[in-house]
Amino acid sequence: MDNPILVADKLGVRFETAEGPVTAVDDVSFSVRQGEFLSIIGPSGCGKSTVFNVIGGLLSQHDGTVRVAGELIDGPHRSIGMVFQEESTFPWRNVTDNVAFPLELTGMPKQNRAERARHFIKMVGLDGFEKRFPGELSGGMRQRVSLARTLASEPKILLMDEPFAALDEQTRLLLGDKVLQIQQQLKQTTLLITHNITEAVQMSDRILVMTYRPGRVKRIVNIDLPRPRTSDIVGSEAFGRYVAQIWADLREEASRGMRDEEDHMLHEAAP
Amino acid sequence: MTAATPARRFLAGDLAPAATGLGCVVLFFIVLETLIRTGVISEYIVPPPSEVVASFGRVVMEEHIIRRFFLTIGECLTTGVMITVFGVVGGVLLYHYRILRLAVETWVAALAAAPVVLAYPLFMVIFGRNAWTIIMIGFVAALSPVILKTVEGLAGTRKVLIDVGRSFNLSASQQFFKIMLPAALPTIFTGIRLGLIFALINIVGVEFLINYGGLGQLINDLAERYDLPGTYAAICFVILVSVVFFMTLERIERWLRPTN
């Protein structure tokens, strides 16, 4: 790949558990081009979130390397902005102050950062809610605040871990539209971790399918759907073909995961 | 659609709970007054509420209750500032140094249940018969809930918020002041509120015991003179101190954490 902005090479993570060491991620390598939208999809327990933590620099004990624009990174990096699965807004700050948080860290004067924050609040469609606190917003709105806060730090790579997992399907589709719109507007390099096939196909240029434990790269699928995209694309025939193709890959892995979980429960219940 | 009646509008409004609470208190006093007047409760044990109300003016004018009121409030405020400063700092230290927490957390919890007030002769030997004895007993009795709740609040900071801080490359002090402390603030305030309850009880109790200072001493004086309406009027002022205290604290908390 020409000039990839993000390169993950031979990532591996092992955890010590009561039942011995478990390999969560093994030999995962991939790269992401500037402006590309790559999704990583896999069944529950395949190590997607572990990959998220390694790329984001939150997990330092791992094999392999992560490079951003050629620079080897070993910890959180200013080029990578993270959006978390869990609700992560600061409840004690209003929307403007939440979004302005990374700007505050740079020492930007208050007036300028409020103005800059308003720009990103508008981008995620929350204008009019600047003075509201997270407790006064819906789950989807709070995730948009988190997204705006991360965008305000102007990262080279936007790294998202199932940001819409807790939302209903309709909100998820609409927020997918919003993310697509922003990604296209900013030409933002984005890496999305998800278990939702529809979401992945709707938004991605490529989808990396992972195997169930240990998490390895099973296949990388190119999504040749026209851009700019919206959620209308979910009704197209080509979309359906991609969903079916990825489900065929995932089904085997998800079944393996389910069997493994059942065996584990039987083993635990055995006298 | 029919227009809402004034009664319904009142019930739906903000005044309804306060008016209901006040109504219950008034009803309680009417019942108490009736029981005393009919001889069911001896007026030599509990004075009729009407006499207590009538004695307010006398107690205010003759017993210098306003000065005593501010004396007790001053002792409570000093203790409040001390438990906040030392309690929060102590809690932060216990949170950061695990070995320290394991070593002393049980002792700190035990202190919360200890009847510190019984040690008043020792405090009098150390500090003398003055306001510092009262303040220090209040401080020792009220410190542990602040320490324990600070530890609990810091330990209970959601991991994802800490991860957000890490993702923005915050330094250890930024992580603490910008994320952990604000996240722990509601729990810390619960500790401070609990501490102030302990402090107020102990301060008035010690004033009563050592016959020194503000409202506690006044209650002691009036009780020894067997002035029952005056004693109860002074007790009402103690309740007033606690109400003023907690309302102030609530305001401060709302100012610091507008979302609460």
Side-chain angles (χ1 to χ4, degrees):
Chain A
M1 183 181 283
D2 295 338
N3 294 326
I5 188 160
L6 173 74
V7 179
D9 188 33
K10 293 186 171 55
L11 296 184
V13 179
R14 269 177 296 282
F15 292 118
E16 288 300 326
T17 70
E19 291 145 11
V22 170
T23 304
V25 174
D26 185 36
D27 197 25
V28 168
S29 299
F30 62 89
S31 53
V32 188
R33 291 190 300 272
Q34 173 79 45
E36 186 184 24
F37 198 121
L38 176 81
S39 290
I40 297 181
I41 196 166
S44 296
C46 77
K48 304 184 292 287
S49 294
T50 307
V51 172
F52 170 85
N53 286 328
V54 170
I55 306 263
L58 300 183
L59 192 63
S60 52
Q61 297 289 313
H62 64 86
D63 296 333
T65 56
V66 178
R67 287 176 191 275
V68 175
E71 184 188 347
L72 187 67
I73 63 165
D74 186 23
H77 194 272
R78 64 188 179 286
S79 301
I80 298 177
M82 300 173 81
V83 180
F84 295 82
Q85 179 178 356
E86 266 181 84
E87 204 278 290
S88 66
T89 51
F90 300 132
W92 58 91
R93 287 172 170 251
N94 64 24
V95 170
T96 303
D97 291 342
N98 257 288
V99 176
F101 182 72
L103 308 172
E104 194 179 307
L105 300 173
T106 64
M108 188 184 275
K110 197 171 180 181
Q111 183 61 36
N112 296 13
R113 63 177 190 247
E115 225 166 83
R116 195 84 191 117
R118 263 199 299 279
H119 167 74
F120 288 102
I121 291 167
K122 196 171 176 195
M123 190 179 275
V124 297
L126 283 177
D127 30 339
F129 292 91
E130 290 87 351
K131 296 286 165 217
R132 299 284 182 93
F133 284 88
E136 301 169 303
L137 304 176
S138 69
M141 290 162 101
R142 276 182 253 166
Q143 278 305 65
R144 279 191 273 167
V145 174
S146 301
L147 176 62
R149 182 180 59 194
T150 305
L151 290 173
S153 66
E154 300 188 56
K156 283 184 183 157
I157 299 157
L158 179 62
L159 180 59
M160 299 195 283
D161 183 19
E162 308 196 40
F164 312 132
L167 308 177
D168 64 83
E169 188 61 23
Q170 291 157 28
T171 312
R172 187 197 290 246
L173 279 169
L174 292 172
L175 286 188
D177 273 353
K178 186 54 82 184
V179 170
L180 269 176
Q181 190 188 326
I182 292 167
Q183 193 257 342
Q184 282 154 180
Q185 183 186 338
L186 300 177
K187 296 190 174 30
Q188 177 74 57
T189 309
T190 308
L191 181 56
L192 172 71
I193 310 288
T194 182
H195 64 261
N196 187 302
I197 306 174
T198 318
E199 187 175 87
V201 177
Q202 180 195 349
M203 296 200 258
S204 311
D205 296 307
R206 288 187 302 147
I207 298 176
L208 185 155
V209 183
M210 283 182 76
T211 60
Y212 178 69
R213 205 170 291 164
R216 296 194 178 105
V217 179
K218 181 165 188 172
R219 192 216 286 246
I220 295 181
V221 182
N222 285 309
I223 306 294
D224 289 323
L225 292 172
R227 285 194 185 269
R229 288 182 210 161
T230 65
S231 53
D232 291 344
I233 207 155
V234 299
S236 75
E237 203 185 315
F239 184 90
R241 271 202 307 276
Y242 280 120
V243 171
Q245 183 187 342
I246 289 164
W247 174 232
D249 279 338
L250 272 181
R251 185 177 191 152
E252 189 190 329
E253 300 304 323
S255 306
R256 212 153 59 82
M258 200 185 276
R259 274 199 307 276
D260 191 41
E261 198 177 323
E262 286 166 1
D263 287 349
H264 185 72
M265 286 172 86
L266 279 174
H267 180 73
E268 274 195 339
Chain B
M1 192 193 284
T2 55
T5 62
R8 275 194 185 164
R9 280 204 302 270
F10 170 75
L11 283 175
D14 294 341
L15 280 176
T20 310
L22 193 66
C24 287
V25 172
V26 171
L27 186 69
F28 169 75
F29 285 133
I30 290 171
V31 170
L32 188 63
E33 180 94 23
T34 312
L35 291 175
I36 295 166
R37 298 282 175 204
T38 53
V40 178
I41 296 175
S42 168
E43 65 179 319
Y44 296 108
I45 297 170
V46 183
S50 56
E51 283 184 25
V52 174
V53 172
S55 70
F56 274 139
R58 177 172 55 83
V59 170
V60 170
M61 298 308 292
E62 294 171 15
E63 308 292 344
H64 312 290
I65 204 160
I66 302 297
R67 185 181 58 77
R68 291 169 184 275
F69 173 83
F70 281 110
L71 199 61
T72 303
I73 278 269
E75 287 163 355
C76 285
L77 275 175
T78 312
T79 310
V81 171
M82 284 167 65
I83 59 168
T84 304
V85 173
F86 289 94
V88 172
V89 171
V92 170
L93 289 174
L94 254 60
Y95 172 77
H96 275 290
Y97 300 102
R98 193 167 168 271
I99 189 157
L100 190 64
R101 183 158 85 231
L102 292 174
V104 303
E105 198 170 17
T106 315
W107 294 103
V108 175
L111 183 66
V116 179
V117 72
L118 296 181
Y120 78 92
L122 174 69
F123 283 83
M124 280 179 72
V125 169
I126 298 170
F127 298 101
R129 189 170 166 268
N130 58 42
W132 278 108
T133 289
I134 299 165
I135 290 167
M136 289 312 291
I137 291 177
F139 169 70
V140 174
L143 187 64
S144 21
V146 186
I147 294 178
L148 295 174
K149 284 287 173 186
T150 302
V151 174
E152 186 188 319
L154 293 172
T157 307
R158 287 167 54 222
K159 186 178 174 294
V160 71
L161 298 185
I162 294 170
D163 282 346
V164 170
R166 290 178 64 201
S167 77
F168 284 122
N169 249 325
L170 298 193
S171 64
S173 69
Q174 283 176 319
Q175 185 79 267
F176 179 76
F177 286 108
K178 289 192 179 287
I179 293 183
M180 296 191 69
L181 193 61
L185 216 50
T187 318
I188 294 175
F189 261 98
T190 307
I192 294 174
R193 217 180 287 151
L194 268 173
L196 284 174
I197 291 171
F198 285 17
L200 188 62
I201 293 168
N202 279 277
I203 283 170
V204 176
V206 177
E207 283 179 345
F208 185 95
L209 275 175
I210 69 172
N211 201 17
Y212 182 91
L215 295 169
Q217 186 200 20
L218 178 62
I219 293 169
N220 189 344
D221 281 353
L222 293 167
E224 280 184 1
R225 278 186 254 148
Y226 209 67
D227 179 355
L228 285 185
T231 306
Y232 279 81
I235 290 171
C236 288
F237 269 94
V238 173
I239 295 169
L240 190 66
V241 174
S242 95
V243 171
V244 168
F245 229 66
F246 293 110
M247 279 172 68
T248 313
L249 197 70
E250 215 172 54
R251 283 285 162 101
I252 295 171
E253 192 175 353
R254 218 176 294 162
W255 174 66
L256 283 171
R257 287 289 301 264
T259 43
N260 290 337

